[in-house]
Structure formats: structure tokens, C-alpha cells
Amino acid sequence: MKKIFKSLIVAVASLLISSTAFAKDFDWSECWCNYGAGLKEGDIILNLGTSISYTHFESGFSSDSWNLPIVDFSLETPVKIGPCPFTFGGGFSWNNNGLKNNYDWGTIKTVYNVFDTYGVVKYHFMFPPKQLDLYAGTKAGISFSSERVVKSQKNGNEESSINFGTGFYFNEFAGATWYFNKGFGVNAEIGFPVITSIGVTFKF
């Protein structure tokens, strides 16, 4: 994982350094108070992505367990507060994971579904090249979860139970979106507890 982070940092740094050669007229003093990639107030930004959190590595990977990548959907709109370029919005994410334990008498299968709904705020920075939008942000909201346990005995008897729970959802991140045209781009983020995510962005 450290190698991935280092490679991502090197790639971003190389992109920024190389782009400065073509940005002789760029006003660096204004980078903190402007949106990148031509974002402006009134735009609607739709993000669709998938991500991996630290729980994917805590739970491990084996033939008796699974942890699907998180699926994420969000909507945002740019709103300046004074000179500061923010976007505000909300979204939701879903994750399915579980495990199966084998015993002499049978098996116990546990399936978890986690649904997060959140508000999101991002602070944007404008750097060259023009297609690049850099940002840092926070997501906060409520996490809903279900736990279904199925006990299957070798004699054919089966018992099942389900439990529900709620919790607080929080995630901090930094990311970048590269727009191929005015309405479509790809993005990548790193943060915690969601370690890394990739996705597509549509701007309307």
C-alpha cells in the first residue's frame, strides 16, 4: 500500500511540475481562490465511483470470506463563500461483505450490508493544466448496517437471524478530477477510513 501512495504522489507531483512549463502566465497567488477545470457556481456535479477502505484489509481475503468494493454516488454544486471556492452536496454508498465458518456440525454464514448516507463539502484549488481540478474535503453522515447470520447443520436444519444497527459515518480525503471535456472526467482520491477510490464525474 505504501508503494501505491508513493507512486500516486510522484505521479501528481510530476504532472504539476511538467504543467508549469506551459503556465508562464498562470497567477499562482490566485490558485487558492478559484475552481479548477472551469467549474463555476450553478454547475451540477455527479460522481460515480468505487473504493476500498481499511476494513477490506482488516477482514482479509480468503475462500471463506469476501468484501466487495464500496459503490458510491454523490451530487455537488459549487458555492463560493467570500473568495473561497467550495462545493457542497450529498450522497450515499453501499458495501457488502461476509464470511463463512466451517465446523464439525455444519457452517455459520454471516453477511453484512452497510449503507452510508452523508453530506460532503470540498475546498477546490486551481492549478495548471486547465483540465485539472484539485480538492480536499470531508464527508459526514449516518451509517446503516444489517447483519444476517445463517446456521446450517449437516442434518439439514437451518436457523437464521438478522440484526440492524446505526452509526456515525466520517471520511476525510484529498483528490483530483481530470476533465476530458466540459462535461466528463475521471477522478481519484486518497483518505481515511476510505483509503483509495476511483470513479467518473459528469458536469452539467
Side-chain angles (χ1 to χ4, degrees):
M1 183 54 62
K2 290 182 179 180
K3 291 182 179 179
I4 295 175
F5 287 156
K6 289 181 179 179
S7 298
L8 182 60
I9 291 172
V10 170
V12 172
S14 299
L15 177 63
L16 292 177
I17 292 172
S18 62
S19 66
T20 58
F22 304 96
K24 296 180 180 179
D25 298 326
F26 185 77
D27 187 354
W28 292 94
S29 66
E30 298 291 319
C31 65
W32 65 275
C33 60
N34 287 295
Y35 296 100
L39 297 183
K40 61 184 183 300
E41 290 184 286
D43 287 342
I44 300 296
I45 303 166
L46 167 63
N47 299 300
L48 301 172
T50 183
S51 56
I52 295 176
S53 74
Y54 77 96
T55 58
H56 285 81
F57 299 93
E58 280 191 338
S59 60
F61 300 89
S62 71
S63 59
D64 295 326
S65 68
W66 68 93
N67 200 339
L68 300 179
I70 301 167
V71 178
D72 189 88
F73 168 92
S74 66
L75 281 172
E76 306 164 41
T77 187
V79 177
K80 271 200 168 187
I81 300 179
C84 301
F86 288 94
T87 51
F88 296 92
F92 61 83
S93 63
W94 170 79
N95 174 236
N96 174 272
N97 61 86
L99 60 103
K100 183 179 180 181
N101 294 313
N102 298 302
Y103 302 95
D104 292 337
W105 52 267
T107 62
I108 296 179
K109 184 178 181 181
T110 307
V111 179
Y112 302 93
N113 279 286
V114 182
F115 181 85
D116 304 308
T117 180
Y118 57 81
V120 58
V121 56
K122 296 177 182 177
Y123 192 97
H124 294 256
F125 304 89
M126 183 179 70
F127 289 101
K130 294 181 179 180
Q131 298 96 323
L132 181 66
D133 175 42
L134 295 177
Y135 56 84
T138 299
K139 297 176 182 178
I142 301 175
S143 180
F144 302 91
S145 62
S146 68
E147 176 192 54
R148 186 171 185 264
V149 180
V150 179
K151 297 180 180 179
S152 301
Q153 299 183 22
K154 291 183 177 179
N155 61 15
N157 293 332
E158 186 173 282
E159 298 177 11
S160 65
S161 61
I162 187 167
N163 299 302
F164 298 94
T166 59
F168 181 64
Y169 174 81
F170 184 78
N171 181 47
E172 294 181 306
F173 57 90
T177 302
W178 180 273
Y179 285 90
F180 294 98
N181 53 47
K182 292 183 178 181
F184 175 75
V186 295
N187 63 71
E189 296 177 355
I190 57 173
F192 187 83
V194 176
I195 295 175
T196 181
S197 66
I198 57 174
V200 295
T201 296
F202 300 92
K203 183 175 65 173
F204 305 96

